[in-house]
Amino acid sequence: AAKVSLGVLGVVSQVTLQLQPMFKRSVTFLERDDSDLAAQVAVWGHLHEFGDMTWLPRQGKVIYRQDDRVDVSSPGDGLNDYLGFRSFPTLGLIVARVAEEHVEESNDMARCLAAGVLPASFPMQAYGFTNDGSSFTGYPVVGYQHRIQASGSCIDAKDNLLRSSCPWDPRVRSLFFYNTGFSVALSKAPALVADMQRLRDLNPRALCSLDAKMGVLIRYVGASSAYLGKTEDSVNFDFTYYRSYTQGRPRAHSDVIDELEQMALRKYGAVPQWGKNRNFAFDGAIAKYAKSGEFLKVKERYDPDGVFSSEWSDRVLGIDGSPNIVHKGCAIEGLCICSHDSHCAPEQGYYCRPGKMYAEARVCSFQPTSHRDHNDEI
């Protein structure tokens, strides 16, 4: 083990690094229905050291990643080159976005048909895994830890004057989406999943937008003694879904996804992933950490002049102000949780209403003319 001093580079002055012997991993993907997902989420992470799962709520399926450590002598030189992190022809990305926008403005049937494309094509390509770095011959894929853990060949792609690009390249009007994430204590995860399934069952088509981006990624995070660490083993849920380039334009069935997120954060005490999420998720988040006061003291000690702080970080950490930005249409963009119809888009038929299952939620819900009661405040 070796100790490295970080000085004023952060709130930690010293960290201990410890090396471990090289090892390989063995990966197999299994597809099952989601009837026992609530039970599986409680045990899968204990059964497989690097296991995770991807839930496709509209299809009622789960893709289980059976991922375990194996001896370095195990045969195989597998590689994880995840399909979503590769470089693509720029024109193709632009055309795909135009098609996505057209589908979004269409109807549920069109959206759900389009949502089945990635979940059908990814398994056929083994999600980008290969047995030898170039071809896939079957599971399990066995390879060294560093070749299985990390993925992202797009970052190594040669500069070719934007003839190809990464899907997230801001210079290209291609894919644009929200990516939100939160973690909930493992002990509460089965009940949360069961509630999510019950909400899904009210209208399965409402969650096609999640299937379209390869579903909900469910991963495991170990407990930590760090000031902002998890006090107990936790489960992380990652949502990715369509976002319009036009500010203030509602998404189809955005109320259902917003209800899912509010239910997790409020009913189950989930904490947001610091590097993701929309503004409302961070409101009160710092208070969910038992050692937040100690963290802020250390932060002040090592950065008294706020060199590494910003107006945003001060709001998120509860030092000065709120992460919420309240104005007309703020809930459409996730800048606030609506309490007033004007926080939604009433001129487009979206009004602030309670959640369909979690009544404490407040979401922007589309109301046909015959169902509008014009209650301006909730």
Side-chain angles (χ1 to χ4, degrees), residues 300-374:
E300 176 63 23
R301 177 183 173 189
Y302 286 98
D303 189 21
D305 298 323
V307 174
F308 295 97
S309 295
S310 66
E311 180 181 346
W312 171 245
S313 66
D314 284 349
R315 289 182 175 186
V316 168
L317 295 175
I319 296 172
D320 183 19
S322 165
N324 289 324
I325 300 176
V326 181
H327 56 59
K328 182 180 179 180
C330 58
I332 294 294
E333 298 291 340
L335 301 176
C336 72
I337 291 178
C338 71
S339 58
H340 194 282
D341 284 341
S342 65
H343 297 157
C344 298
E347 70 283 357
Q348 299 180 64
Y350 287 81
Y351 294 81
C352 187
R353 294 292 182 265
K356 293 179 173 63
M357 193 188 79
Y358 177 57
E360 286 78 2
R362 292 295 179 268
V363 296
C364 295
S365 181
F366 179 72
Q367 301 290 309
T369 304
S370 60
H371 290 85
R372 298 175 190 172
D373 55 18
H374 301 289

Side-chain angles (χ1 to χ4, degrees), residues 212-226:
K213 303 297 184 185
M214 278 307 292
V216 180
L217 178 59
I218 303 174
R219 298 177 289 183
Y220 295 87
V221 183
S224 168
S225 60

Side-chain angles (χ1 to χ4, degrees), residues 155-166:
I155 199 170
D156 298 320
K158 295 181 179 180
D159 186 3
N160 59 6
L161 301 179
L162 275 185
R163 287 193 293 272
S164 63
S165 55
C166 300

Side-chain angles (χ1 to χ4, degrees), residues 51-357:
D52 62 35
M53 53 186 73
T54 299
W55 179 40
L56 301 169
R58 170 63 181 93
Q59 296 188 25
K61 296 179 180 178
V62 183
I63 302 164
Y64 291 92
R65 176 165 163 164
Q66 187 174 292
D67 190 342
D68 297 290
R69 182 186 304 240
V70 294
D71 190 81
V72 72
S73 63
S74 302
D77 192 25
L79 176 69
N80 175 12
D81 185 10
Y82 185 65
L83 296 173
F85 296 162
R86 294 181 179 181
S87 178
F88 295 92
T90 300
L91 180 59
L93 289 173
I94 294 173
V95 171
R97 175 62 188 192
V98 171
E100 184 180 37
E101 291 174 342
H102 177 73
V103 168
E104 177 67 16
E105 298 300 320
S106 187
N107 53 43
D108 280 354
M109 181 175 293
R111 282 189 288 269
C112 290
L113 283 173
V117 173
L118 288 186
S121 63
F122 271 41
M124 296 173 63
Q125 302 173 74
Y127 306 92
F129 281 79
T130 56
N131 297 88
D132 57 5
S134 60
S135 60
F136 175 74
T137 56
Y139 294 120
V141 173
V142 177
Y144 288 100
Q145 153 72 358
H146 65 282
R147 287 169 60 85
I148 299 296
Q149 176 65 29
S151 174
S153 60
C154 190
I155 199 170
D156 298 320
K158 295 181 179 180
D159 186 3
N160 59 6
L161 301 179
L162 275 185
R163 287 193 293 272
S164 63
S165 55
C166 300
W168 55 85
D169 193 322
R171 297 172 297 175
V172 178
R173 196 180 190 279
S174 59
L175 302 181
F176 193 46
F177 48 80
Y178 287 108
N179 182 205
T180 61
F182 54 82
S183 58
V184 64
L186 179 60
S187 59
K188 299 178 180 179
L192 170 60
V193 169
D195 267 353
M196 292 168 70
Q197 289 179 308
R198 280 192 284 270
L199 180 57
R200 180 273 312 271
D201 291 343
L202 295 178
N203 181 10
R205 287 185 173 183
L207 293 182
C208 283
S209 61
L210 293 180
D211 282 26
K213 303 297 184 185
M214 278 307 292
V216 180
L217 178 59
I218 303 174
R219 298 177 289 183
Y220 295 87
V221 183
S224 168
S225 60
Y227 293 141
L228 298 185
K230 316 299 180 189
T231 56
E232 60 179 290
D233 290 348
S234 301
V235 180
N236 190 81
F237 295 82
D238 256 34
F239 294 71
T240 303
Y241 45 92
Y242 176 89
R243 181 180 185 181
S244 174
Y245 274 107
T246 303
Q247 185 174 358
R249 177 171 291 179
R251 311 181 316 276
H253 302 296
S254 60
D255 54 339
V256 179
I257 294 179
D258 289 355
E259 183 176 348
L260 283 175
E261 294 182 2
Q262 291 182 39
M263 179 170 64
L265 293 166
R266 293 179 165 187
K267 182 177 179 180
Y268 290 97
V271 293
Q273 212 271 23
W274 293 109
K276 301 181 180 180
N277 291 289
R278 297 173 291 166
N279 293 46
F280 79 84
F282 295 107
D283 188 25
I286 191 65
K288 296 179 180 180
Y289 292 90
K291 296 182 179 180
S292 59
E294 296 174 68
F295 168 79
L296 293 175
K297 289 179 183 177
V298 174
K299 174 185 176 300
E300 176 63 23
R301 177 183 173 189
Y302 286 98
D303 189 21
D305 298 323
V307 174
F308 295 97
S309 295
S310 66
E311 180 181 346
W312 171 245
S313 66
D314 284 349
R315 289 182 175 186
V316 168
L317 295 175
I319 296 172
D320 183 19
S322 165
N324 289 324
I325 300 176
V326 181
H327 56 59
K328 182 180 179 180
C330 58
I332 294 294
E333 298 291 340
L335 301 176
C336 72
I337 291 178
C338 71
S339 58
H340 194 282
D341 284 341
S342 65
H343 297 157
C344 298
E347 70 283 357
Q348 299 180 64
Y350 287 81
Y351 294 81
C352 187
R353 294 292 182 265
K356 293 179 173 63
M357 193 188 79

